[in-house]
Amino acid sequence: MTRAGSPETWLITGGAGFIGSNFVLAARERGAARVVNLDLLTYAGNLKNLAALADDPDHLFVRGDIADRELVGRLLQEHQPRAVVHFAAESHVDRSIYGPQAFLETNVMGTFHLLEAVRRYWDGLPPPRQQDFRFLHISTDEVYGSLAPEDPAFAETTPYAPNSPYAASKAASDHLVRACRHTYGLPTLITNCSNNHGPFQFPEKLIPLMILNALKGKPLPIYGDGLNVRDWLYVTDHCEALRLVLAQGRVGETYNIGGNCEKTNLEVVGTLCAILDELFPDSPHRPHARLITFIKDRPGHDRRYAIDAGKISRELGWQPRESFESGLSKTVRWYVDHPEWVASVESGEYREWLELHYGRG
Ligand code: NAD
Ligand code: DAU
């Protein structure tokens, strides 16, 4: 499946998580680069996501922390990457409300230490390689805060107004990357993307949680009135946008990425229930939408996100390939077809999280 002898090397952080693993798999499938994959394997990281690369000589997995400057420095010197693609983060808003410290440690300090190690490496490169080098920082639309119903979508010029500890930590990391470009000249790029779904997403997030609960006939817990709006994007479309930004993005720029696909949470869950009804006509849980249960709202819950992806479309010609319905059908099918992967993540830690957050159900 993979091609050997890739022309360049990328150091990818967080490549055992949801988006990172999708990005690594696609990069190796295309033979786009040799990959050095640095991931701490927190609860969200899973080597099973990378099983297809077990025999790939051009994928090197290293378990380690982005905050470990010595390790990162060694990997950079040894492998001489042309790019660093930075996915590693604590990524779940609800967890950031219970325990913000880990978010500051990884997203802020981790990014800071990573940047310091990368800057040192980059400083030592000869000028042509300095010019070619890229640091691509993967961020989120949540840094822009919350929109009212009639507000225009987030543009790259929208002022930052992060509302959760997660969003604040990501905003801080964006600022550190920006400052590193401005002060030291490191060739950085930042992307701010909307909500992703697809294979390998840890089932603490809305879509996989709802699919797995619905399959078991468990309640589908909707926060508040279910009318909060998110913009949804299938993960492979995000990864394709990232490859384009890495290859052709203008250094120092930010690119917003989104599916032009605003949905209320009730619409999302209603659609995935309808997909399950069709897939399992004999299920005793049919109609699955009957399982929807309204629960206490998330504190500080942002009401609406929407992305204006005009810049990446105009400059780089990117458009999502999947519609909401086609992408969601693929996501549902993937979880249905991968019970072993699901069993592997439904560990003690996951059950503890469900109990802490949703109570016994
Ligand atoms: P995820 O939680 O699934 O994966 C994060 C990965 O980072 C895990 O493999 C974890 O082990 C690793 N990691 C955590 N701390 C680390 C550390 N200190 N050192 C090395 N590795 C560490 O996250 P995701 O959903 O794949 O998100 C990836 C990135 O994309 C994040 O930066 C997130 O903010 C951003 N993002 C996510 C979405 C989304 O919808 N999921 C949307 C926009 C942006
Ligand atoms: O917008 C991009 C962001 O999307 C990423 O930066 C984050 O890493 C990612 O986790 C995601 O954040 P959200 O908070 O939007 O995603 P989550 O899946 O947690 O929730 C989506 C919506 O569904 C949100 O309005 C909260 C709601 N929700 C979520 C859960 C887990 C529920 O109603 N019930 C739930 O049980």
Side-chain angles (χ1 to χ4, degrees):
M1 150 191 180
T2 51
R3 286 186 242 156
S6 304
E8 56 183 86
T9 298
W10 298 342
L11 174 65
I12 296 185
T13 74
F18 162 47
I19 305 173
S21 63
N22 277 282
F23 184 85
V24 168
L25 290 169
R28 288 303 310 134
E29 190 163 357
R30 286 152 195 263
R34 184 171 168 268
V35 169
V36 179
N37 186 346
L38 174 65
D39 194 298
L40 190 57
L41 295 181
T42 67
Y43 77 91
N46 187 347
L47 283 180
K48 290 200 165 54
N49 301 0
L50 302 164
L53 304 180
D55 299 322
D56 182 350
D58 280 347
H59 174 253
L60 174 70
F61 182 80
V62 180
R63 185 173 192 181
D65 194 330
I66 52 168
D68 183 344
R69 255 196 244 187
E70 205 215 306
L71 170 67
V72 175
R74 211 169 348 107
L75 292 174
L76 291 166
Q77 285 309 327
E78 193 179 329
H79 298 285
Q80 297 285 312
R82 208 250 329 151
V84 173
V85 186
H86 178 33
F87 292 94
E90 289 292 334
S91 69
H92 191 35
V93 173
D94 291 316
R95 287 188 194 247
S96 83
I97 295 168
Y98 286 93
Q101 189 168 330
F103 288 71
L104 299 189
E105 281 166 3
T106 288
N107 301 359
V108 184
M109 289 311 292
T111 299
F112 166 70
H113 288 300
L114 177 69
L115 282 167
E116 286 293 281
V118 171
R119 190 159 69 78
R120 180 163 300 192
Y121 161 72
W122 178 77
D123 271 341
L125 293 176
R129 288 191 53 210
Q130 280 195 334
Q131 271 171 24
D132 273 0
F133 183 81
R134 296 290 180 271
F135 183 97
L136 171 56
H137 176 62
I138 318 301
S139 192
T140 169
D141 59 359
E142 302 204 10
V143 298
Y144 298 122
S146 184
L147 294 168
E150 303 310 322
D151 284 344
F154 300 131
E156 289 80 359
T157 49
T158 302
Y160 275 31
N163 286 323
S164 70
Y166 162 69
S169 69
K170 290 297 290 186
S173 68
D174 293 10
H175 291 323
L176 287 172
V177 172
R178 184 183 184 281
C180 203
R181 161 80 189 144
H182 188 80
T183 306
Y184 306 109
L186 189 76
T188 61
L189 296 148
I190 299 176
T191 55
N192 295 89
C193 187
S194 62
N195 287 61
N196 284 215
H197 63 98
F200 307 123
Q201 187 168 33
F202 194 79
E204 63 192 352
K205 308 280 165 62
L206 179 76
I207 288 181
L209 177 82
M210 296 293 166
I211 296 170
L212 298 187
N213 278 13
L215 286 170
K216 293 175 191 143
K218 286 175 60 180
L220 307 181
I222 303 265
Y223 299 156
D225 61 7
L227 298 180
N228 302 67
V229 171
R230 298 291 182 266
D231 171 300
W232 291 96
L233 183 67
Y234 191 63
V235 65
T236 55
D237 280 325
H238 184 189
C239 292
E240 192 170 348
L242 296 176
R243 284 195 298 277
L244 274 174
V245 171
L246 190 57
Q248 296 165 36
R250 283 186 293 132
V251 168
E253 292 291 313
T254 289
Y255 293 90
N256 281 356
I257 304 171
N260 197 16
C261 174
E262 288 183 57
K263 302 282 174 202
T264 65
N265 294 335
L266 272 176
E267 285 172 322
V268 172
V269 176
T271 308
L272 71 83
C273 285
I275 294 171
L276 287 171
D277 289 348
E278 219 177 293
L279 279 177
F280 298 104
D282 299 327
S283 166
H285 313 307
R286 218 168 161 269
H288 292 86
R290 235 187 2 217
L291 299 167
I292 288 175
T293 311
F294 291 91
I295 66 167
K296 195 163 147 287
D297 209 351
R298 171 187 279 175
H301 196 176
D302 283 339
R303 192 64 174 168
R304 173 179 166 237
Y305 303 145
I307 278 274
D308 174 352
K311 179 174 172 182
I312 188 171
S313 158
R314 281 189 306 278
E315 289 191 14
L316 307 180
W318 176 83
Q319 292 288 344
R321 291 174 198 271
E322 300 291 344
S323 68
F324 177 66
E325 288 74 18
S326 68
L328 195 59
S329 293
K330 286 186 177 183
T331 299
V332 172
R333 269 240 81 105
W334 190 86
Y335 282 90
V336 169
D337 290 345
H338 291 82
E340 286 139 38
W341 184 91
V342 170
S344 80
V345 298
E346 287 184 326
S347 64
E349 200 281 340
Y350 180 57
R351 282 196 294 276
E352 276 165 34
W353 165 251
L354 293 184
E355 199 159 298
L356 170 74
H357 188 54
Y358 300 99
R360 286 168 204 280

